Amino acid sequence: MICNLCPRECGVDRDHTLGFCQMNNTMKVARIAPHYDEEPLISGTRGTGAVFFSGCTLRCCYCQNFEISALCRGREITPYELSEVFQKFEETGVHSIELVTPTHFIPQILDAFRLYTPSLPIIYNTSGYEKVETLRTLDGIVDVYLPDFKYSDDSLAMKYSGCPDYTETALSAIEEMLRQTGEYIIEDGLIRRGVIIRHLVLPGHTKNSIRALELIKERFEDRAMVSLMSQYLPFGDIGAFPELNRRITKREYQKVLDRLYALSLDGFAQELSSAKKEYIPKWEFE
């Protein structure tokens, strides 16, 4: 099967070679477990049933999940086994099922849903770098989209993620997500449908963050929630970028927070103390 699932459109036959995502057509996962460190509307009291997929369509040099996104560590899993995971999550009593970085395995994930349709809300956790045509295959399946909006500046996207067309591609993708879900719906303190847009503040790049928030307001007004993230830690392969080899400062974060509040964007803002290694999941490769 020639793969053009993501905006890279590398066009390779992943039955015989690896795509840009560094994956073939066999699903690989690095962790399957309840996850309690997402936004309060997702984690609730019982967590979300998270499936972390190996590989990625971006190449963020600072990725905190670098071990699985770039080094692609993980274990293989079939669509049938994934459908069994869905059933087991229902039995454990988690609030939802969360698919983390799943884009390059959408056909296999859809096979799993054909085998078993869980009654829990489905959350799609993505970098935001998505093709509208691919997202349309998820219409009616995904209840909550959790996209990043990493960059308002394509030069930064190219520098840090090897992605020359991130900004408009991600904005168009989020528009399609909103078309599918409509405005967010919250019941009993949990999000049941809708879109939560995440933005991670990078050290030294408050202008990128402020403009990202402004674009969210301009394009989506109040249809989506925003989750402003302060959890950046020096991870991954940042040797060529010494400016990234530190946490963000209190002054930097406050500057972005002030713009978030001025724009009256609904959502969440992490405490600066969230930049801790303890919040990074422990991978399971066996």
Side-chain angles (χ1 to χ4, degrees):
M1 180 186 74
I2 300 302
C3 184
N4 288 304
L5 287 170
C6 83
R8 303 281 185 184
E9 295 188 330
C10 58
V12 303
D13 183 351
R14 285 170 54 196
D15 283 329
H16 303 288
T17 189
L18 302 181
F20 180 91
C21 57
Q22 294 301 296
M23 290 287 109
N24 58 27
N25 275 329
T26 301
M27 279 189 297
K28 188 183 280 190
V29 297
R31 180 176 170 83
I32 297 173
H35 191 51
Y36 301 93
D37 296 325
E38 303 291 35
E39 287 76 3
L41 290 180
I42 293 175
S43 293
T45 57
R46 301 196 301 271
T48 180
V51 182
F52 288 82
F53 293 90
S54 305
C56 188
T57 61
L58 286 185
R59 294 281 170 82
C60 301
C61 62
Y62 52 83
C63 181
Q64 71 172 25
N65 296 346
F66 193 81
E67 192 173 7
I68 69 169
S69 64
L71 302 183
C72 300
R73 296 191 64 193
R75 58 185 176 88
E76 294 183 352
I77 186 173
T78 67
Y80 177 75
E81 289 169 330
L82 183 58
S83 72
E84 289 187 316
V85 167
F86 297 158
Q87 296 180 61
K88 289 177 181 177
F89 273 144
E90 284 185 318
E91 295 167 4
T92 64
V94 294
H95 296 298
S96 55
I97 293 172
E98 181 179 6
L99 308 174
V100 185
T101 320
T103 301
H104 44 296
F105 292 126
I106 282 179
Q108 296 86 347
I109 292 169
L110 290 175
D111 285 342
F113 280 121
R114 292 185 190 101
L115 291 167
Y116 184 78
T117 302
S119 59
L120 298 174
I122 304 301
I123 298 174
Y124 193 88
N125 183 334
T126 165
S127 69
Y129 192 57
E130 301 281 353
K131 282 178 64 175
V132 168
E133 295 84 353
T134 301
L135 289 173
R136 285 176 181 155
T137 67
L138 302 170
D139 195 356
I141 295 173
V142 172
D143 300 286
V144 178
Y145 282 99
L146 190 60
D148 291 336
F149 184 51
K150 296 176 180 290
Y151 305 107
S152 61
D153 180 345
D154 277 338
S155 65
L156 282 186
M158 185 63 194
K159 182 178 182 181
Y160 294 144
S161 300
C163 184
D165 59 345
Y166 179 89
T167 303
E168 187 55 41
T169 300
L171 289 170
S172 296
I174 293 169
E175 188 65 62
E176 169 61 21
M177 296 172 190
L178 283 164
R179 184 196 67 78
Q180 292 182 23
T181 67
E183 295 186 20
Y184 53 87
I185 297 173
I186 298 170
E187 297 175 352
D188 299 324
L190 297 170
I191 186 166
R192 298 301 184 184
R193 286 191 68 80
V195 177
I196 301 176
I197 305 171
R198 286 175 163 176
H199 177 76
L200 176 67
V201 181
L202 297 176
H205 292 296
T206 57
K207 288 183 180 179
N208 173 67
S209 293
I210 288 170
R211 183 56 184 152
L213 296 177
E214 291 171 346
L215 283 171
I216 291 170
K217 184 68 173 183
E218 291 169 13
R219 290 287 287 264
F220 312 120
E221 297 181 342
D222 300 317
R223 292 181 292 154
M225 303 183 81
V226 174
S227 179
L228 187 65
M229 305 176 78
S230 62
Q231 67 186 41
Y232 178 86
L233 288 170
F235 263 93
D237 185 18
I238 59 171
F241 309 107
E243 70 273 18
L244 296 181
N245 194 27
R246 65 171 177 86
R247 302 182 185 190
I248 64 172
T249 66
K250 182 178 180 180
R251 182 174 180 273
E252 286 175 322
Y253 194 49
Q254 189 61 53
K255 190 175 181 180
V256 181
L257 274 175
D258 288 345
R259 192 61 183 141
L260 176 76
Y261 299 145
L263 291 167
S264 299
L265 288 164
D266 194 12
F268 314 91
Q270 283 184 331
E271 298 290 337
L272 196 58
S273 59
S274 297
K276 294 179 180 178
K277 291 183 179 180
E278 297 92 272
Y279 291 116
I280 298 173
K282 291 179 173 56
W283 310 122
E284 302 166 350
F285 300 129
E286 299 300 328

